[in-house]
Amino acid sequence: MATDPEKQQTKDEATSVKSPELLPATKPELHDTVPGSVTDELVLSKDGFALFPQPVLSDELDPLNWSSVQKHAILAIVMALYFMFTYITTTTVPSFPVLEETYEATLEMINWTVAIPALGLSLGPLLWASPADIIGRRPILILGTIMALAATVGAALAPTYQGYMAARFFQGLGVSPASNVGLAVINDVFFEHERGQKLGLWVLAIDMGLLFGPLIGGFVSLAGHEWIQWLTAILLGVILIAEVVFLPETLYPRRLMSAGGKETGEVKRTKSLGLANVKPLPGMTHPKVWDTLVRFVKTFKFAAVPVSVMTYCFGWYWWVLSVVTLVPVAYGEAYPDAHIQGLLYLGLIVGTLISEVLCSGRLSDSIVVKLAKANGNKKTAEMRLWLAYPAAILTAIGMIVWGISIDKGYHFMVGQVAFALFGAGIQMGNTAICSYVVDAYPMQSMATMTFYAVMLNMSAFVDPFFIVPWIEGAGFTWTFAGHAIITVFFCIPVLAALHKFGPAIREKAGSPSWVNPEFEESVLHASG
């Protein structure tokens, strides 16, 4: 491809400063074309794959061109809010006995206080996604955090069980943008070839919130169950300040800016927008407010997404709530103190961290690169599923060992080893499924992750309603053996079938009729 030497030198210098992994393509015929790319010259990763999305090299307001420090600061803010996504749900678990007494409620009723924020977390993504594609990611994340902060204060002061439940619901609704809108921010600032690692860190945040919640809550409850909520309010306040000061808008009119044109430089975007912008962002076509719900329903047509997500959520992930909410029941007699019970979640935390460092996001990226090179430099989304199989087996082993250890009265360290295996499997599986659905439909990532967030939290909402009766009827051994059987003999065959037939399923379903607004083509036609 012929280029002007001075222009090419400028591009080379820009890319070397912005990202050492960007290289001008010299042999574009060896690489896949990139959906949504309209630049004259392909830009490659250091592994020789065409980058997606293609950056606008001359535009410093393109989030893909921001410094690594700023990108990772943004990632840290999104991860912090996603940590709170599950932290608010489980941090109250060690205070269950006190809550039973305070609100004169049964254990089953108090278990519902974990389910109700999960309902808010499930409905929230349907509410927030379209506004985030209209006025931007930043104002939605800030507004949600303010709502969660106000609800947390309400939960701390709630005089009745009903008031406490209402506050818990709005806590979940407030932090829910951390799921689909948070992931949209990650997609805005990072390239596809970085997705496994970044999604792994993002998933790590939600898993750590789930597990650190009861650990921290156990110690804080020594000062009173209200202080669990006051600490949550402090954490949300710190995140709110970070969002206001360090989180710029990341939704970028990529198609418009890539196409050039004499007026595109005048379009306000990302850092050039006002700090309190609540107007529709210029330079792109905006969805209608109800489009999120419509697209959620339409996603069922693209079977690869509902099959993978619902298999994971309802055959695998929801057992996390079974484990977390039952620790006080399982160890209550031997370790009645709430802060000691909080320490019993350390095995889950250790297993999750080891899994992320050694066996999750970065490993997923490495596997995809190696498989793609062996496949003529052609990537497929199904390459992300290889980690799901060992993950399911680890999860099942952990559940069986833990169930037996409780019924047999084994030393608590046996349970910690089981928790480590369980946590490692959940982390690997979550990363594999998230990466798969985003890679399967990269230009519809907001819709696919909205579907994921709704189903994930719907499963978390349902679990507390049946797990206590199951334990009372079958005991720990057979309850968690049943969990394990479902995970291995349902999830693995379904994911294996999707692994084999996924490309054909996606081809038959065709392409969705919509894309993320930054890729919308109608803007280009309108701009002439």
Side-chain angles (χ1 to χ4, degrees), residues 204 207-208 211 347-356 420 423-424 427:
L204 179 66
D207 289 343
M208 287 293 99
L211 305 176
L348 289 164
I349 294 171
V350 170
T352 302
L353 287 172
I354 291 176
S355 173
E356 177 53 35
Q427 172 67 18

Side-chain angles (χ1 to χ4, degrees), residues 172-517:
L173 193 66
V175 299
S176 62
S179 55
N180 54 348
V181 180
L183 182 72
V185 170
I186 294 175
N187 284 342
D188 289 340
V189 301
F190 292 104
F191 295 103
E192 179 189 41
H193 72 279
E194 303 170 299
R195 185 169 294 146
Q197 183 201 20
K198 307 313 175 189
L199 282 183
L201 292 171
W202 180 71
V203 169
L204 179 66
I206 187 176
D207 289 343
M208 287 293 99
L210 188 77
L211 305 176
F212 269 100
L215 173 62
I216 295 172
F219 284 96
V220 177
S221 66
L222 295 174
H225 73 90
E226 300 91 346
W227 271 101
I228 293 178
Q229 299 297 342
W230 290 123
L231 176 61
T232 301
I234 292 170
L235 295 175
L236 287 169
V238 172
I239 292 172
L240 179 60
I241 293 171
E243 289 171 344
V244 171
V245 177
F246 298 111
L247 179 65
E249 180 54 55
T250 62
L251 181 56
Y252 176 77
R254 185 159 308 284
R255 296 285 306 204
L256 181 63
M257 299 308 298
S258 297
K262 63 180 181 180
E263 298 181 356
T264 55
E266 301 174 3
V267 176
K268 284 188 175 296
R269 56 201 184 276
T270 61
K271 296 178 183 179
S272 65
L273 294 164
L275 292 179
N277 178 73
V278 291
K279 297 180 180 179
L281 298 185
M284 60 188 74
T285 299
H286 305 107
K288 298 179 177 63
V289 174
W290 56 84
D291 276 351
T292 297
L293 182 58
V294 173
R295 292 170 182 177
F296 174 81
V297 175
K298 286 184 176 180
T299 300
F300 282 97
K301 173 186 174 183
F302 305 97
V305 176
V307 168
S308 59
V309 169
M310 295 179 73
T311 297
Y312 176 71
C313 292
F314 293 99
W316 189 344
Y317 175 81
W318 60 354
W319 310 140
V320 172
L321 268 295
S322 295
V323 170
V324 170
T325 59
L326 287 175
V327 165
V329 177
Y331 296 105
E333 292 186 8
Y335 306 102
D337 295 333
H339 63 288
I340 299 299
Q341 290 180 9
L343 292 172
L344 295 172
Y345 293 90
L346 283 174
L348 289 164
I349 294 171
V350 170
T352 302
L353 287 172
I354 291 176
S355 173
E356 177 53 35
V357 172
L358 300 178
C359 308
S360 196
R362 193 177 292 274
L363 178 59
S364 177
D365 287 339
S366 177
I367 289 173
V368 169
V369 169
K370 290 180 180 178
L371 291 175
K373 287 182 177 180
N375 192 38
N377 281 340
K378 295 183 183 296
K379 301 177 188 176
T380 67
E382 285 67 30
M383 293 173 180
R384 294 286 186 185
L385 293 176
W386 281 109
L387 281 181
Y389 308 127
I393 293 171
L394 283 175
T395 302
I397 293 173
M399 287 189 291
I400 292 172
V401 173
W402 188 62
I404 294 173
S405 75
I406 300 303
D407 277 344
K408 298 293 185 181
Y410 293 157
H411 192 275
F412 77 92
M413 281 305 299
V414 177
Q416 292 300 291
V417 172
F419 277 176
L421 296 173
F422 177 79
I426 290 291
Q427 172 67 18
M428 290 170 62
N430 212 347
T431 300
I433 298 301
C434 287
S435 300
Y436 172 69
V437 295
V438 173
D439 280 9
Y441 295 98
M443 298 181 72
Q444 293 81 24
S445 57
M446 178 68 90
T448 57
M449 291 314 297
T450 296
F451 189 92
Y452 160 83
V454 170
M455 292 301 170
L456 188 81
N457 290 289
M458 189 58 66
S459 72
F461 168 71
V462 173
D463 182 274
F465 287 95
F466 67 77
I467 188 58
V468 171
W470 194 352
I471 285 289
E472 291 174 347
F476 278 87
T477 298
W478 285 108
T479 295
F480 284 93
H483 286 20
I485 289 170
I486 292 172
T487 298
V488 170
F489 293 101
F490 170 65
C491 294
I492 290 182
V494 172
L495 293 177
L498 188 62
H499 203 155
K500 180 175 179 60
F501 300 109
I505 291 173
R506 290 188 286 115
E507 183 177 358
K508 184 176 180 180
S511 298
S513 59
W514 73 91
V515 297
N516 293 348

